[in-house]
PDB file of all heavy atoms in Angstrom:
ATOM      1  N   SER A   1       0.841  -1.192   0.000  1.00 86.00           N
ATOM      2  CA  SER A   1       0.000   0.000   0.000  1.00 86.00           C
ATOM      3  C   SER A   1       0.875   1.240   0.000  1.00 86.00           C
ATOM      4  O   SER A   1       1.023   1.922   1.017  1.00 86.00           O
ATOM      5  CB  SER A   1      -0.938  -0.015   1.207  1.00 86.00           C
ATOM      6  OG  SER A   1      -1.768  -1.161   1.206  1.00 86.00           O
ATOM      7  N   ILE A   2       1.447   1.540  -1.146  1.00 82.00           N
ATOM      8  CA  ILE A   2       2.446   2.600  -1.232  1.00 82.00           C
ATOM      9  C   ILE A   2       1.864   3.955  -1.578  1.00 82.00           C
ATOM     10  O   ILE A   2       2.595   4.952  -1.553  1.00 82.00           O
ATOM     11  CB  ILE A   2       3.540   2.243  -2.248  1.00 82.00           C
ATOM     12  CG1 ILE A   2       2.928   2.025  -3.637  1.00 82.00           C
ATOM     13  CG2 ILE A   2       4.311   1.013  -1.782  1.00 82.00           C
ATOM     14  CD1 ILE A   2       3.955   1.779  -4.718  1.00 82.00           C
ATOM     15  N   VAL A   3       0.589   4.016  -1.907  1.00 82.00           N
ATOM     16  CA  VAL A   3      -0.021   5.308  -2.177  1.00 82.00           C
ATOM     17  C   VAL A   3       0.039   6.154  -0.914  1.00 82.00           C
ATOM     18  O   VAL A   3      -0.325   5.701   0.170  1.00 82.00           O
ATOM     19  CB  VAL A   3      -1.471   5.151  -2.651  1.00 82.00           C
ATOM     20  CG1 VAL A   3      -2.136   6.519  -2.800  1.00 82.00           C
ATOM     21  CG2 VAL A   3      -1.539   4.389  -3.962  1.00 82.00           C
ATOM     22  N   GLY A   4       0.513   7.372  -1.059  1.00 82.00           N
ATOM     23  CA  GLY A   4       0.640   8.267   0.075  1.00 82.00           C
ATOM     24  C   GLY A   4       2.012   8.282   0.707  1.00 82.00           C
ATOM     25  O   GLY A   4       2.265   9.098   1.600  1.00 82.00           O
ATOM     26  N   ILE A   5       2.918   7.405   0.266  1.00 86.00           N
ATOM     27  CA  ILE A   5       4.296   7.440   0.747  1.00 86.00           C
ATOM     28  C   ILE A   5       4.974   8.677   0.177  1.00 86.00           C
ATOM     29  O   ILE A   5       5.011   8.871  -1.033  1.00 86.00           O
ATOM     30  CB  ILE A   5       5.064   6.173   0.345  1.00 86.00           C
ATOM     31  CG1 ILE A   5       4.474   4.951   1.041  1.00 86.00           C
ATOM     32  CG2 ILE A   5       6.538   6.326   0.678  1.00 86.00           C
ATOM     33  CD1 ILE A   5       4.627   4.970   2.543  1.00 86.00           C
ATOM     34  N   ASN A   6       5.516   9.485   1.050  1.00 87.00           N
ATOM     35  CA  ASN A   6       6.126  10.744   0.632  1.00 87.00           C
ATOM     36  C   ASN A   6       7.641  10.726   0.779  1.00 87.00           C
ATOM     37  O   ASN A   6       8.371  10.706  -0.211  1.00 87.00           O
ATOM     38  CB  ASN A   6       5.536  11.903   1.430  1.00 87.00           C
ATOM     39  CG  ASN A   6       4.070  12.128   1.158  1.00 87.00           C
ATOM     40  OD1 ASN A   6       3.627  12.063   0.011  1.00 87.00           O
ATOM     41  ND2 ASN A   6       3.305  12.401   2.203  1.00 87.00           N
ATOM     42  N   ASN A   7       8.106  10.716   2.010  1.00 92.00           N
ATOM     43  CA  ASN A   7       9.530  10.786   2.272  1.00 92.00           C
ATOM     44  C   ASN A   7      10.125   9.396   2.446  1.00 92.00           C
ATOM     45  O   ASN A   7       9.483   8.490   2.972  1.00 92.00           O
ATOM     46  CB  ASN A   7       9.802  11.608   3.527  1.00 92.00           C
ATOM     47  CG  ASN A   7       9.129  12.964   3.470  1.00 92.00           C
ATOM     48  OD1 ASN A   7       9.195  13.653   2.454  1.00 92.00           O
ATOM     49  ND2 ASN A   7       8.486  13.358   4.562  1.00 92.00           N
ATOM     50  N   MET A   8      11.358   9.247   2.024  1.00 94.00           N
ATOM     51  CA  MET A   8      12.089   8.006   2.223  1.00 94.00           C
ATOM     52  C   MET A   8      13.498   8.345   2.694  1.00 94.00           C
ATOM     53  O   MET A   8      13.962   9.473   2.518  1.00 94.00           O
ATOM     54  CB  MET A   8      12.139   7.167   0.951  1.00 94.00           C
ATOM     55  CG  MET A   8      10.767   6.747   0.440  1.00 94.00           C
ATOM     56  SD  MET A   8      10.819   5.609  -0.973  1.00 94.00           S
ATOM     57  CE  MET A   8      11.331   4.092  -0.145  1.00 94.00           C
ATOM     58  N   GLY A   9      14.148   7.370   3.297  1.00 97.00           N
ATOM     59  CA  GLY A   9      15.483   7.647   3.781  1.00 97.00           C
ATOM     60  C   GLY A   9      16.191   6.419   4.289  1.00 97.00           C
ATOM     61  O   GLY A   9      15.682   5.296   4.199  1.00 97.00           O
ATOM     62  N   TRP A  10      17.384   6.658   4.806  1.00 98.00           N
ATOM     63  CA  TRP A  10      18.217   5.611   5.356  1.00 98.00           C
ATOM     64  C   TRP A  10      18.650   5.969   6.765  1.00 98.00           C
ATOM     65  O   TRP A  10      19.040   7.116   7.035  1.00 98.00           O
ATOM     66  CB  TRP A  10      19.460   5.390   4.483  1.00 98.00           C
ATOM     67  CG  TRP A  10      19.151   4.832   3.138  1.00 98.00           C
ATOM     68  CD1 TRP A  10      18.930   5.521   1.983  1.00 98.00           C
ATOM     69  CD2 TRP A  10      19.024   3.447   2.810  1.00 98.00           C
ATOM     70  NE1 TRP A  10      18.675   4.655   0.954  1.00 98.00           N
ATOM     71  CE2 TRP A  10      18.722   3.371   1.432  1.00 98.00           C
ATOM     72  CE3 TRP A  10      19.137   2.268   3.548  1.00 98.00           C
ATOM     73  CZ2 TRP A  10      18.540   2.152   0.776  1.00 98.00           C
ATOM     74  CZ3 TRP A  10      18.949   1.062   2.893  1.00 98.00           C
ATOM     75  CH2 TRP A  10      18.657   1.020   1.529  1.00 98.00           C
ATOM     76  N   TYR A  11      18.578   4.993   7.644  1.00 98.00           N
ATOM     77  CA  TYR A  11      19.066   5.098   9.006  1.00 98.00           C
ATOM     78  C   TYR A  11      20.024   3.942   9.253  1.00 98.00           C
ATOM     79  O   TYR A  11      20.028   2.958   8.514  1.00 98.00           O
ATOM     80  CB  TYR A  11      17.919   5.051  10.013  1.00 98.00           C
ATOM     81  CG  TYR A  11      17.003   6.262   9.956  1.00 98.00           C
ATOM     82  CD1 TYR A  11      16.158   6.471   8.870  1.00 98.00           C
ATOM     83  CD2 TYR A  11      16.984   7.191  10.989  1.00 98.00           C
ATOM     84  CE1 TYR A  11      15.322   7.578   8.808  1.00 98.00           C
ATOM     85  CE2 TYR A  11      16.153   8.295  10.944  1.00 98.00           C
ATOM     86  CZ  TYR A  11      15.323   8.479   9.854  1.00 98.00           C
ATOM     87  OH  TYR A  11      14.498   9.582   9.812  1.00 98.00           O
ATOM     88  N   ARG A  12      20.839   4.052  10.283  1.00 98.00           N
ATOM     89  CA  ARG A  12      21.749   2.963  10.596  1.00 98.00           C
ATOM     90  C   ARG A  12      21.864   2.789  12.103  1.00 98.00           C
ATOM     91  O   ARG A  12      21.647   3.722  12.872  1.00 98.00           O
ATOM     92  CB  ARG A  12      23.134   3.196   9.981  1.00 98.00           C
ATOM     93  CG  ARG A  12      23.895   4.380  10.559  1.00 98.00           C
ATOM     94  CD  ARG A  12      25.170   4.638   9.757  1.00 98.00           C
ATOM     95  NE  ARG A  12      25.943   5.738  10.309  1.00 98.00           N
ATOM     96  CZ  ARG A  12      27.021   6.246   9.724  1.00 98.00           C
ATOM     97  NH1 ARG A  12      27.457   5.744   8.567  1.00 98.00           N
ATOM     98  NH2 ARG A  12      27.673   7.253  10.293  1.00 98.00           N
ATOM     99  N   GLN A  13      22.222   1.575  12.496  1.00 98.00           N
ATOM    100  CA  GLN A  13      22.379   1.261  13.899  1.00 98.00           C
ATOM    101  C   GLN A  13      23.574   0.335  14.077  1.00 98.00           C
ATOM    102  O   GLN A  13      23.597  -0.771  13.539  1.00 98.00           O
ATOM    103  CB  GLN A  13      21.123   0.606  14.469  1.00 98.00           C
ATOM    104  CG  GLN A  13      21.159   0.400  15.970  1.00 98.00           C
ATOM    105  CD  GLN A  13      19.804   0.037  16.540  1.00 98.00           C
ATOM    106  OE1 GLN A  13      18.947  -0.496  15.836  1.00 98.00           O
ATOM    107  NE2 GLN A  13      19.594   0.325  17.811  1.00 98.00           N
ATOM    108  N   ALA A  14      24.557   0.812  14.812  1.00 97.00           N
ATOM    109  CA  ALA A  14      25.725   0.018  15.148  1.00 97.00           C
ATOM    110  C   ALA A  14      25.486  -0.690  16.479  1.00 97.00           C
ATOM    111  O   ALA A  14      24.653  -0.251  17.279  1.00 97.00           O
ATOM    112  CB  ALA A  14      26.963   0.906  15.234  1.00 97.00           C
ATOM    113  N   PRO A  15      26.204  -1.780  16.749  1.00 91.00           N
ATOM    114  CA  PRO A  15      26.029  -2.490  18.015  1.00 91.00           C
ATOM    115  C   PRO A  15      26.220  -1.566  19.215  1.00 91.00           C
ATOM    116  O   PRO A  15      27.206  -0.834  19.294  1.00 91.00           O
ATOM    117  CB  PRO A  15      27.107  -3.570  17.970  1.00 91.00           C
ATOM    118  CG  PRO A  15      27.322  -3.812  16.517  1.00 91.00           C
ATOM    119  CD  PRO A  15      27.175  -2.462  15.867  1.00 91.00           C
ATOM    120  N   GLY A  16      25.272  -1.590  20.129  1.00 93.00           N
ATOM    121  CA  GLY A  16      25.346  -0.767  21.318  1.00 93.00           C
ATOM    122  C   GLY A  16      25.004   0.691  21.109  1.00 93.00           C
ATOM    123  O   GLY A  16      25.105   1.480  22.059  1.00 93.00           O
ATOM    124  N   LYS A  17      24.611   1.059  19.912  1.00 96.00           N
ATOM    125  CA  LYS A  17      24.289   2.440  19.597  1.00 96.00           C
ATOM    126  C   LYS A  17      22.812   2.580  19.238  1.00 96.00           C
ATOM    127  O   LYS A  17      22.144   1.614  18.891  1.00 96.00           O
ATOM    128  CB  LYS A  17      25.137   2.949  18.431  1.00 96.00           C
ATOM    129  CG  LYS A  17      26.636   2.851  18.644  1.00 96.00           C
ATOM    130  CD  LYS A  17      27.114   3.829  19.692  1.00 96.00           C
ATOM    131  CE  LYS A  17      28.628   3.808  19.790  1.00 96.00           C
ATOM    132  NZ  LYS A  17      29.125   4.788  20.790  1.00 96.00           N
ATOM    133  N   GLN A  18      22.316   3.801  19.331  1.00 96.00           N
ATOM    134  CA  GLN A  18      20.957   4.092  18.906  1.00 96.00           C
ATOM    135  C   GLN A  18      20.900   4.220  17.388  1.00 96.00           C
ATOM    136  O   GLN A  18      21.895   4.535  16.739  1.00 96.00           O
ATOM    137  CB  GLN A  18      20.448   5.376  19.552  1.00 96.00           C
ATOM    138  CG  GLN A  18      20.243   5.295  21.057  1.00 96.00           C
ATOM    139  CD  GLN A  18      19.635   6.560  21.610  1.00 96.00           C
ATOM    140  OE1 GLN A  18      20.024   7.667  21.230  1.00 96.00           O
ATOM    141  NE2 GLN A  18      18.671   6.411  22.503  1.00 96.00           N
ATOM    142  N   ARG A  19      19.716   3.979  16.848  1.00 97.00           N
ATOM    143  CA  ARG A  19      19.530   4.177  15.427  1.00 97.00           C
ATOM    144  C   ARG A  19      19.650   5.663  15.103  1.00 97.00           C
ATOM    145  O   ARG A  19      19.079   6.512  15.797  1.00 97.00           O
ATOM    146  CB  ARG A  19      18.168   3.648  14.995  1.00 97.00           C
ATOM    147  CG  ARG A  19      17.931   3.670  13.498  1.00 97.00           C
ATOM    148  CD  ARG A  19      16.599   3.019  13.135  1.00 97.00           C
ATOM    149  NE  ARG A  19      16.552   1.622  13.544  1.00 97.00           N
ATOM    150  CZ  ARG A  19      15.554   0.804  13.257  1.00 97.00           C
ATOM    151  NH1 ARG A  19      14.516   1.232  12.552  1.00 97.00           N
ATOM    152  NH2 ARG A  19      15.580  -0.458  13.664  1.00 97.00           N
ATOM    153  N   GLU A  20      20.394   5.984  14.058  1.00 97.00           N
ATOM    154  CA  GLU A  20      20.628   7.371  13.700  1.00 97.00           C
ATOM    155  C   GLU A  20      20.304   7.616  12.235  1.00 97.00           C
ATOM    156  O   GLU A  20      20.413   6.725  11.394  1.00 97.00           O
ATOM    157  CB  GLU A  20      22.077   7.774  13.978  1.00 97.00           C
ATOM    158  CG  GLU A  20      23.101   7.036  13.137  1.00 97.00           C
ATOM    159  CD  GLU A  20      24.523   7.523  13.358  1.00 97.00           C
ATOM    160  OE1 GLU A  20      24.700   8.531  14.077  1.00 97.00           O
ATOM    161  OE2 GLU A  20      25.460   6.900  12.816  1.00 97.00           O
ATOM    162  N   LEU A  21      19.935   8.837  11.950  1.00 97.00           N
ATOM    163  CA  LEU A  21      19.642   9.246  10.587  1.00 97.00           C
ATOM    164  C   LEU A  21      20.917   9.291   9.768  1.00 97.00           C
ATOM    165  O   LEU A  21      21.949   9.785  10.232  1.00 97.00           O
ATOM    166  CB  LEU A  21      18.955  10.613  10.581  1.00 97.00           C
ATOM    167  CG  LEU A  21      18.555  11.208   9.228  1.00 97.00           C
ATOM    168  CD1 LEU A  21      17.288  12.040   9.386  1.00 97.00           C
ATOM    169  CD2 LEU A  21      19.671  12.081   8.662  1.00 97.00           C
ATOM    170  N   VAL A  22      20.842   8.784   8.547  1.00 98.00           N
ATOM    171  CA  VAL A  22      21.936   8.889   7.595  1.00 98.00           C
ATOM    172  C   VAL A  22      21.597   9.911   6.517  1.00 98.00           C
ATOM    173  O   VAL A  22      22.345  10.859   6.282  1.00 98.00           O
ATOM    174  CB  VAL A  22      22.270   7.533   6.956  1.00 98.00           C
ATOM    175  CG1 VAL A  22      23.375   7.685   5.919  1.00 98.00           C
ATOM    176  CG2 VAL A  22      22.671   6.524   8.022  1.00 98.00           C
ATOM    177  N   ALA A  23      20.469   9.712   5.851  1.00 98.00           N
ATOM    178  CA  ALA A  23      20.051  10.611   4.787  1.00 98.00           C
ATOM    179  C   ALA A  23      18.572  10.438   4.532  1.00 98.00           C
ATOM    180  O   ALA A  23      18.026   9.345   4.700  1.00 98.00           O
ATOM    181  CB  ALA A  23      20.838  10.353   3.498  1.00 98.00           C
ATOM    182  N   THR A  24      17.920  11.509   4.121  1.00 97.00           N
ATOM    183  CA  THR A  24      16.512  11.458   3.748  1.00 97.00           C
ATOM    184  C   THR A  24      16.311  12.189   2.435  1.00 97.00           C
ATOM    185  O   THR A  24      17.118  13.040   2.047  1.00 97.00           O
ATOM    186  CB  THR A  24      15.603  12.093   4.815  1.00 97.00           C
ATOM    187  OG1 THR A  24      15.957  13.462   5.003  1.00 97.00           O
ATOM    188  CG2 THR A  24      15.712  11.345   6.137  1.00 97.00           C
ATOM    189  N   ILE A  25      15.212  11.856   1.770  1.00 97.00           N
ATOM    190  CA  ILE A  25      14.868  12.516   0.518  1.00 97.00           C
ATOM    191  C   ILE A  25      13.357  12.587   0.410  1.00 97.00           C
ATOM    192  O   ILE A  25      12.648  11.623   0.690  1.00 97.00           O
ATOM    193  CB  ILE A  25      15.495  11.786  -0.691  1.00 97.00           C
ATOM    194  CG1 ILE A  25      15.228  12.554  -1.985  1.00 97.00           C
ATOM    195  CG2 ILE A  25      15.002  10.346  -0.779  1.00 97.00           C
ATOM    196  CD1 ILE A  25      16.047  12.045  -3.167  1.00 97.00           C
ATOM    197  N   THR A  26      12.855  13.747   0.023  1.00 93.00           N
ATOM    198  CA  THR A  26      11.426  13.914  -0.165  1.00 93.00           C
ATOM    199  C   THR A  26      11.029  13.435  -1.549  1.00 93.00           C
ATOM    200  O   THR A  26      11.871  13.153  -2.408  1.00 93.00           O
ATOM    201  CB  THR A  26      11.012  15.385  -0.002  1.00 93.00           C
ATOM    202  OG1 THR A  26      11.531  16.152  -1.098  1.00 93.00           O
ATOM    203  CG2 THR A  26      11.532  15.958   1.308  1.00 93.00           C
ATOM    204  N   SER A  27       9.728  13.351  -1.774  1.00 87.00           N
ATOM    205  CA  SER A  27       9.244  12.947  -3.086  1.00 87.00           C
ATOM    206  C   SER A  27       9.656  13.942  -4.163  1.00 87.00           C
ATOM    207  O   SER A  27       9.762  13.577  -5.334  1.00 87.00           O
ATOM    208  CB  SER A  27       7.725  12.797  -3.070  1.00 87.00           C
ATOM    209  OG  SER A  27       7.083  14.018  -2.713  1.00 87.00           O
ATOM    210  N   GLY A  28       9.901  15.188  -3.762  1.00 89.00           N
ATOM    211  CA  GLY A  28      10.335  16.211  -4.692  1.00 89.00           C
ATOM    212  C   GLY A  28      11.831  16.277  -4.904  1.00 89.00           C
ATOM    213  O   GLY A  28      12.295  17.062  -5.731  1.00 89.00           O
ATOM    214  N   GLY A  29      12.592  15.477  -4.155  1.00 92.00           N
ATOM    215  CA  GLY A  29      14.029  15.414  -4.355  1.00 92.00           C
ATOM    216  C   GLY A  29      14.867  16.209  -3.379  1.00 92.00           C
ATOM    217  O   GLY A  29      16.097  16.262  -3.530  1.00 92.00           O
ATOM    218  N   THR A  30      14.266  16.829  -2.385  1.00 96.00           N
ATOM    219  CA  THR A  30      15.027  17.555  -1.377  1.00 96.00           C
ATOM    220  C   THR A  30      15.722  16.572  -0.447  1.00 96.00           C
ATOM    221  O   THR A  30      15.095  15.649   0.071  1.00 96.00           O
ATOM    222  CB  THR A  30      14.115  18.482  -0.567  1.00 96.00           C
ATOM    223  OG1 THR A  30      13.485  19.417  -1.440  1.00 96.00           O
ATOM    224  CG2 THR A  30      14.915  19.250   0.477  1.00 96.00           C
ATOM    225  N   THR A  31      17.020  16.763  -0.231  1.00 98.00           N
ATOM    226  CA  THR A  31      17.818  15.814   0.545  1.00 98.00           C
ATOM    227  C   THR A  31      18.325  16.416   1.840  1.00 98.00           C
ATOM    228  O   THR A  31      18.459  17.632   1.980  1.00 98.00           O
ATOM    229  CB  THR A  31      19.012  15.315  -0.274  1.00 98.00           C
ATOM    230  OG1 THR A  31      19.834  16.430  -0.653  1.00 98.00           O
ATOM    231  CG2 THR A  31      18.541  14.593  -1.527  1.00 98.00           C
ATOM    232  N   ASN A  32      18.632  15.525   2.780  1.00 98.00           N
ATOM    233  CA  ASN A  32      19.201  15.901   4.061  1.00 98.00           C
ATOM    234  C   ASN A  32      20.177  14.808   4.466  1.00 98.00           C
ATOM    235  O   ASN A  32      19.870  13.623   4.325  1.00 98.00           O
ATOM    236  CB  ASN A  32      18.108  16.064   5.112  1.00 98.00           C
ATOM    237  CG  ASN A  32      18.655  16.464   6.466  1.00 98.00           C
ATOM    238  OD1 ASN A  32      19.437  17.405   6.568  1.00 98.00           O
ATOM    239  ND2 ASN A  32      18.237  15.755   7.508  1.00 98.00           N
ATOM    240  N   TYR A  33      21.351  15.195   4.986  1.00 98.00           N
ATOM    241  CA  TYR A  33      22.395  14.242   5.338  1.00 98.00           C
ATOM    242  C   TYR A  33      22.903  14.483   6.743  1.00 98.00           C
ATOM    243  O   TYR A  33      22.973  15.623   7.216  1.00 98.00           O
ATOM    244  CB  TYR A  33      23.586  14.345   4.388  1.00 98.00           C
ATOM    245  CG  TYR A  33      23.293  14.011   2.951  1.00 98.00           C
ATOM    246  CD1 TYR A  33      22.940  15.002   2.050  1.00 98.00           C
ATOM    247  CD2 TYR A  33      23.377  12.698   2.497  1.00 98.00           C
ATOM    248  CE1 TYR A  33      22.673  14.704   0.728  1.00 98.00           C
ATOM    249  CE2 TYR A  33      23.116  12.392   1.174  1.00 98.00           C
ATOM    250  CZ  TYR A  33      22.763  13.394   0.296  1.00 98.00           C
ATOM    251  OH  TYR A  33      22.505  13.085  -1.021  1.00 98.00           O
ATOM    252  N   ALA A  34      23.291  13.397   7.392  1.00 98.00           N
ATOM    253  CA  ALA A  34      24.026  13.520   8.633  1.00 98.00           C
ATOM    254  C   ALA A  34      25.392  14.130   8.346  1.00 98.00           C
ATOM    255  O   ALA A  34      25.985  13.889   7.291  1.00 98.00           O
ATOM    256  CB  ALA A  34      24.194  12.154   9.296  1.00 98.00           C
ATOM    257  N   ASP A  35      25.897  14.915   9.293  1.00 98.00           N
ATOM    258  CA  ASP A  35      27.188  15.563   9.088  1.00 98.00           C
ATOM    259  C   ASP A  35      28.304  14.555   8.815  1.00 98.00           C
ATOM    260  O   ASP A  35      29.230  14.833   8.047  1.00 98.00           O
ATOM    261  CB  ASP A  35      27.556  16.410  10.304  1.00 98.00           C
ATOM    262  CG  ASP A  35      26.704  17.656  10.431  1.00 98.00           C
ATOM    263  OD1 ASP A  35      26.106  18.083   9.419  1.00 98.00           O
ATOM    264  OD2 ASP A  35      26.645  18.211  11.540  1.00 98.00           O
ATOM    265  N   SER A  36      28.220  13.388   9.417  1.00 97.00           N
ATOM    266  CA  SER A  36      29.276  12.402   9.302  1.00 97.00           C
ATOM    267  C   SER A  36      29.398  11.795   7.903  1.00 97.00           C
ATOM    268  O   SER A  36      30.426  11.191   7.587  1.00 97.00           O
ATOM    269  CB  SER A  36      29.064  11.276  10.322  1.00 97.00           C
ATOM    270  OG  SER A  36      27.819  10.632  10.114  1.00 97.00           O
ATOM    271  N   VAL A  37      28.372  11.944   7.070  1.00 98.00           N
ATOM    272  CA  VAL A  37      28.404  11.330   5.747  1.00 98.00           C
ATOM    273  C   VAL A  37      28.369  12.348   4.623  1.00 98.00           C
ATOM    274  O   VAL A  37      28.476  11.962   3.444  1.00 98.00           O
ATOM    275  CB  VAL A  37      27.249  10.326   5.560  1.00 98.00           C
ATOM    276  CG1 VAL A  37      27.253   9.299   6.683  1.00 98.00           C
ATOM    277  CG2 VAL A  37      25.902  11.040   5.482  1.00 98.00           C
TER     278      VAL A  37
END
């Protein structure tokens, strides 16, 4: 049921660490990145 899906992105989780944002992208192509990447 993918109708209505807008934003997509990538997160990562290392052992013993919290899940963190890596990068996101809107349906229009606007991007956001973690400083580390």
Side-chain angles (χ1 to χ4, degrees):
S1 301
I2 59 175
V3 175
I5 294 295
N6 295 318
N7 308 314
M8 299 186 74
W10 293 93
Y11 293 70
R12 66 188 182 187
Q13 187 167 25
K17 303 290 186 179
Q18 292 185 317
R19 186 175 299 185
E20 65 176 353
L21 181 148
V22 177
T24 60
I25 185 168
T26 69
S27 60
T30 301
T31 59
N32 180 50
Y33 297 93
D35 289 340
S36 60
V37 306

